[in-house]
Amino acid sequence: AGMKAGVTINPATPVCLLRDIVAQLDLVLLMSVNPGFGGQKFIPYTIDKLQELSRMLEKKGLKTDVEVDGGVYVENTPEILAAGANILVAGSAVFNGEIGANVRRFLEVM
């Protein structure tokens, strides 16, 4: 029916739990903060999880989208992208201050 399948994992959920279903997914969203409120700090071990997921996808020859949500700022965007994400969610980093300027800064980095 044209639908796509995705899964979201919270910071405490290990990536290895996706091993048996990852081939059926179009998108994996890694939460890089504990869901609940904006403005939280990016959890650093998310980079390790991104790298692990990227290796898993590469090993299986998959082109699954990998999204990161939480604590995404211009400053950590290069590291997040290098670790394997291709979709970023930035709330506070965009909407706090001058929105247009914030978006331009992200686009420059990306």
Side-chain angles (χ1 to χ4, degrees):
M3 300 285 194
K4 292 190 175 190
V7 68
T8 301
I9 60 174
N10 284 325
T13 305
V15 170
C16 67
L17 293 179
L18 301 176
R19 185 175 23 245
D20 295 333
I21 64 166
V22 73
Q24 301 166 23
L25 300 174
D26 299 295
L27 170 79
V28 176
L29 167 57
L30 296 182
M31 291 301 300
S32 47
V33 299
N34 289 301
F37 61 92
Q40 295 181 63
K41 185 176 177 173
F42 183 85
I43 298 172
Y45 65 75
T46 304
I47 297 297
D48 296 332
K49 292 175 72 171
L50 274 167
Q51 292 168 337
E52 180 182 352
L53 177 59
S54 293
R55 286 189 300 271
M56 182 187 303
L57 295 171
E58 185 177 328
K59 183 177 180 181
K60 294 180 179 278
L62 300 171
K63 301 292 184 197
T64 307
D65 284 323
V66 178
E67 182 174 0
V68 172
D69 184 355
V72 175
Y73 287 87
V74 169
E75 295 77 14
N76 60 5
T77 291
E79 184 178 23
I80 294 169
L81 293 173
N86 68 320
I87 301 172
L88 305 180
V89 177
S92 298
V94 171
F95 295 106
N96 289 341
E98 171 53 44
I99 296 171
N102 293 339
V103 169
R104 282 189 293 279
R105 287 181 64 216
F106 268 103
L107 291 174
E108 288 170 6
V109 170
M110 295 174 93

